[in-house]
Amino acid sequence: MKQRIAFIGGGNMGRSLIGGLIAKGTEPSQLVVADPYAPTLQSLQAQYNVQIAGSNADAVRDAGVVLLAVKPQELRNVVSSLQEQIQRTRPLLISVAAGILAADIQRWAGGVPVIRCMPNRPALQGCGVTALYANEQVSQEHRALAEQILGAVGATLWVERETDMDTVTAISGSGPAYFFLLIEMLEAAGQSLGLSAEVARKLAVETAYGSGFMARESSDSPATLRQQVTSKGGTTEAALKHLEANNVRAIFSQAVTAAAQRSAQLAKELGSA
């Protein structure tokens, strides 16, 4: 990584990207972090030996890439306050703020290239997935650079329409919570049927882990894998019939749609004017 990267925000996502980049060979001296919380900066410097900046403007000054890892509701003020500095150096901006349109970020920054991305929580463990969107102003070199940075914490993929990012947010951004809820429900069901809390948790967590691994590694579709587990007249069939009879597919589809609609709504609320 030859470009100097400035991280505006050193929270969980910033930390995971810094750790991933260093693990893949980026020199700590190429990374600089700004964060309003001094203990966060001190911790990052102690753990990774990265550069720390006294302000956002100091961090951006010599950066070829600026990674915006702040809360969505803070992004407008952060970018607007950096506009003069950004206009001088014209770095690539990469935003991990959910729901904020690339056009709004460009407007606040004064027209520099912007890549919008949606990583998810497993990125903290290096096994996330990140969807990226870039408009026509972003070069192929910029795309490759963004892939290299976000690829440090898991798989990457591109979407061609920015509206798809709302669906991405609903599927993978919010998705870990759906799986955690399923684990939680399996654990509770096991306990209600007499298992100890420890045994129920172990069974639920390891089953989720193994199933996800199989789905990731297999060339078969999830539907085929499900059918392979479901013996006619058996226990799995009994459970699945009950779920289907209670419209589990419709309920889940409605839930994901609600998340996507909320993502689009947030873009309008936070990007206006």
Side-chain angles (χ1 to χ4, degrees), residues 14-192:
R15 180 181 291 271
S16 65
L17 284 165
I18 288 167
L21 286 166
I22 291 173
K24 290 181 179 292
T26 299
E27 290 293 328
S29 60
Q30 294 300 107
L31 308 178
V32 58
V33 190
D35 192 281
Y37 190 53
T40 294
L41 294 178
Q42 293 162 5
S43 173
L44 286 167
Q45 188 176 51
Q47 184 174 2
Y48 296 114
N49 198 32
V50 295
Q51 306 296 305
I52 59 175
S55 68
N56 291 342
D58 287 342
V60 169
R61 184 166 292 115
D62 299 317
V65 179
V66 176
L67 197 137
L68 301 164
V70 300
K71 294 178 181 179
Q73 58 268 31
E74 298 172 357
L75 189 61
R76 181 181 179 184
N77 287 338
V78 167
V79 176
S80 297
S81 69
L82 291 171
Q83 185 183 98
E84 184 177 343
Q85 180 68 47
I86 288 171
Q87 284 299 298
R88 282 200 295 268
T89 57
R90 304 198 62 82
L92 168 66
L93 301 187
I94 300 176
S95 170
V96 300
I100 308 296
L101 298 177
D104 289 323
I105 300 171
Q106 281 186 313
R107 186 173 75 254
W108 301 332
V112 299
V114 174
I115 291 177
R116 179 183 168 193
C117 61
M118 171 50 65
N120 64 0
R121 190 75 174 178
L124 303 183
Q125 307 301 129
C127 56
V129 60
T130 300
L132 303 99
Y133 167 78
N135 62 22
E136 64 277 3
Q137 293 175 302
V138 174
S139 69
Q140 288 300 318
E141 181 182 358
H142 286 149
R143 282 176 173 255
L145 189 56
E147 280 187 17
Q148 186 178 358
I149 293 170
L150 276 300
V153 292
T156 61
L157 57 87
W158 290 90
V159 297
E160 295 305 315
R161 301 177 303 178
E162 189 166 15
T163 52
D164 288 341
M165 292 295 281
D166 295 322
T167 306
V168 167
T169 300
I171 296 294
S172 64
S174 300
Y178 313 150
F179 289 100
F180 295 147
L181 176 60
L182 179 58
I183 293 170
E184 180 185 346
M185 291 188 297
L186 282 173
E187 184 179 347
Q191 290 185 60
S192 72

